[in-house]
Amino acid sequence: MSVRVLVVGGASEFSTLVAKVEAVVKKNGPFSFVLVAGEIGASRASDLKAHKLSVPGYFASQSFEAEAGTEFKENNLTFVGEAGKKEIEDLSIVFIAGGYDEPPEKYRKDPKEFPFPLEIQAAMRSAGAFGTGYQGVDILVSGDQPLGINLKQDSLPPSGSTLVSATALILKPRYHFCGGKPEVYASNGPFVVPGSDHATRLFKLGSPSPAPGVKERWLYAAAVKPLKRMDANQLEGSSSSGNVYQINKAGKPQPGSEPTGGFFYNMPPKRENRKRKANEDRSGFRKRFEGHPVDAKCWFCLGNEKDLHLVINVGTNIYLALAKGGINTEHVLLIPIPHVRSTLELSEDHYAELEKFTSALQETFRKNFDSDLMFFERVVNPRGGELHSHTQIQAIPVPRETSAVASVKLGEEAQRSKLKIRELPKGKSLREFVKEESDEDHPEYFYIRLPDGKEAVQLISVDKKSESREEGLPIHPMQFGRRFTAALLGRTNRLDWKRCVKPTDLEAQDADRFRNLFSEFDPTQEE
């Protein structure tokens, strides 16, 4: 169910703000609450007087004299602070007051390098923006407009706050309402913020108490369904991949906001001391899989050149690709270049390279997302004489604070599905365990390495599966690994990968972003 929200621009007089809001509520209500994008026309509690809103109101300000979080019950108004995060009727909302100073030019290259004020950092942290399971906030309310907004008036020069833009790039709001000068109305979007699974809509609001001669739309009414109540297929996409937010006064786009070439043989330049030269053309690309067995119908055989824009890095025997319809934008796949049914069929050299890739992923996740690596493999044997399937190792970052409970959560999920997943004994490899426990030549299994390094496995015998069917017992679900991971990360709206697939240009954009992060730890380069 959607929540009806009224958002208004900043005002110079609180009495005018209340009068105009009440007129709108009476005519077009009811609304659950009202948000103010800017100042409210008061600097202290005494200025509010007896004026009262009929619906709860929320605002942020750097000039209002009160403690953050103060509720003025006689006015039905809450002062959030200079910045803050509120959860209202399941809507995740972040507020940023206007009037913040711009950071020095040297910081305007990457939003992660911005010297955010502590209260804005706290708001972003409260919203969960630094965790890998993060999807975004429902609403961002800022007193200033972001740099990059199109005011759609040729007479007005480009203007805006790079701090607001950087904040929005990290928060990934579905709706962004802003105030500030000039007092004009404009709407931008839908557009997609880099790394986001949903579209963003940006609205610049005028003032309910404008300067003489100014008459601009000062309110916006919206019915917003909370992100936490939505499945991935319900999220609004976008026909345009252009990102509005800019963090460079020169007008340069945010790095990573546009695809710069999706195929891995057009990768950005690597370090000079690299061990292997990155592929520069199709000839170099093909050398990586020459001599390896290829199934003409297989989506994961590089020789078939399927979805190459998702490929992040290619080694001698292993390649790394962004997961199509991933649980999050950092969900990747480690895939053997030869067409093999499981990692058990890899040679020692192949397996050694696989370990190098997993170590590089661990370093990438730790540095950029303060997260640990978790990965799993589900091996399936074909039916009806088909060539065996091509194994993939699903690799996902798990926030540090979540890593500690992963083992317990796995046990709970296995019990719920009536599965017997066993912890791999210390010092024993998966290959040794399977050889001891199974007499099948090519056993099916589910294997997982948890963020704390613990390993667990369930052998899935063909005979056992037949018995299970006869006895009515559950067999191992094909999507158990994804289901467990989605539950662990709080992303149960992304259980079905097909409903999470993005347009190709956005997939290429996400891959380019991850490729840049991974390049620092590229295992195909010499130290």
Side-chain angles (χ1 to χ4, degrees), residues 386-402:
E386 298 176 2
L387 184 63
H388 59 77
S389 33
H390 195 145
T391 195
Q392 320 106 45
I393 297 92
Q394 311 270 339
I396 305 101
V398 177
R400 290 287 181 88
E401 61 270 21
T402 306

Side-chain angles (χ1 to χ4, degrees), residues 461-527:
S461 166
V462 174
D463 293 336
K464 291 286 187 184
K465 290 173 72 173
S466 299
E467 292 172 8
S468 296
R469 289 194 181 97
E470 291 173 4
E471 298 171 11
L473 298 175
I475 61 174
H476 196 290
M478 273 296 299
Q479 295 300 321
F480 174 80
R482 184 177 180 110
R483 191 173 70 199
F484 160 66
T485 305
L488 179 67
L489 298 179
R491 307 204 77 180
T492 53
N493 62 336
R494 302 187 67 79
L495 293 177
D496 184 352
W497 72 268
K498 293 180 181 179
R499 294 187 175 187
C500 302
V501 174
K502 296 182 180 181
T504 300
D505 57 345
L506 299 185
E507 290 180 333
Q509 179 178 316
D510 289 343
D512 185 63
R513 169 178 165 270
F514 192 88
R515 188 181 299 117
N516 289 333
L517 297 176
F518 185 75
S519 64
E520 181 179 353
F521 306 101
D522 185 352
T524 67
Q525 301 175 26
E526 290 180 344
E527 296 297 330

Side-chain angles (χ1 to χ4, degrees), residues 202-438:
L202 170 62
F203 299 92
K204 168 73 173 70
L205 301 176
S207 172
S209 52
V214 177
K215 194 173 184 180
E216 291 282 347
R217 180 174 171 180
W218 55 274
L219 61 83
Y220 191 91
V224 184
K225 187 174 183 179
L227 189 59
K228 63 170 56 178
R229 300 180 191 169
M230 300 176 71
D231 293 327
N233 62 316
Q234 294 178 302
L235 293 174
E236 179 185 21
S238 172
S239 58
S240 170
S241 60
N243 168 46
V244 168
Y245 300 118
Q246 295 177 1
I247 58 172
N248 189 306
K249 287 290 187 182
K252 295 179 181 178
Q254 157 66 17
S257 64
E258 297 291 343
T260 57
F263 295 88
F264 76 89
Y265 44 81
N266 287 329
M267 284 183 185
K270 303 288 185 180
R271 296 196 299 262
E272 288 301 317
N273 65 340
R274 60 196 174 194
K275 182 178 181 181
R276 302 181 185 88
K277 203 175 179 183
N279 299 292
E280 297 174 347
D281 53 29
R282 246 175 225 284
S283 176
F285 160 64
R286 289 196 173 102
K287 288 180 181 178
R288 294 299 176 93
F289 57 80
E290 284 180 354
H292 289 298
V294 174
D295 176 4
K297 297 180 181 179
C298 178
W299 205 268
F300 299 101
C301 283
L302 277 176
N304 293 326
E305 303 187 26
K306 302 285 189 181
D307 279 339
L308 296 182
H309 63 284
L310 296 174
V311 177
I312 304 296
N313 192 289
V314 180
T316 303
N317 304 294
I318 304 293
Y319 77 94
L320 177 68
L322 204 66
K324 196 174 187 70
I327 293 175
N328 55 33
T329 53
E330 294 82 37
H331 181 175
V332 293
L333 305 178
L334 286 162
I335 308 172
I337 293 177
H339 188 94
V340 295
R341 81 181 75 224
S342 76
T343 54
L344 300 181
E345 298 182 9
L346 297 178
S347 69
E348 292 300 322
D349 288 343
H350 288 58
Y351 197 79
E353 186 175 34
L354 176 61
E355 287 293 334
K356 288 181 180 179
F357 268 92
T358 57
S359 295
L361 278 175
Q362 178 70 287
E363 293 300 316
T364 301
F365 292 156
R366 283 177 177 171
K367 177 176 180 179
N368 296 283
F369 308 108
D370 193 28
S371 298
D372 295 314
L373 169 67
M374 181 175 78
F375 60 85
F376 62 88
E377 178 188 22
R378 172 68 162 93
V379 175
V380 182
N381 287 329
R383 304 291 181 260
E386 298 176 2
L387 184 63
H388 59 77
S389 33
H390 195 145
T391 195
Q392 320 106 45
I393 297 92
Q394 311 270 339
I396 305 101
V398 177
R400 290 287 181 88
E401 61 270 21
T402 306
S403 295
V405 301
S407 182
V408 174
K409 293 292 185 183
L410 176 64
E412 293 174 349
E413 193 67 35
Q415 186 176 26
R416 190 177 296 112
S417 300
K418 298 182 180 179
L419 303 177
K420 294 181 179 179
I421 299 178
R422 300 163 58 185
E423 185 173 340
L424 203 62
K426 289 184 178 180
K428 182 166 290 187
S429 70
L430 174 64
R431 191 190 303 270
E432 292 169 337
F433 177 84
V434 172
K435 187 175 181 180
E436 291 178 5
E437 299 290 329
S438 175

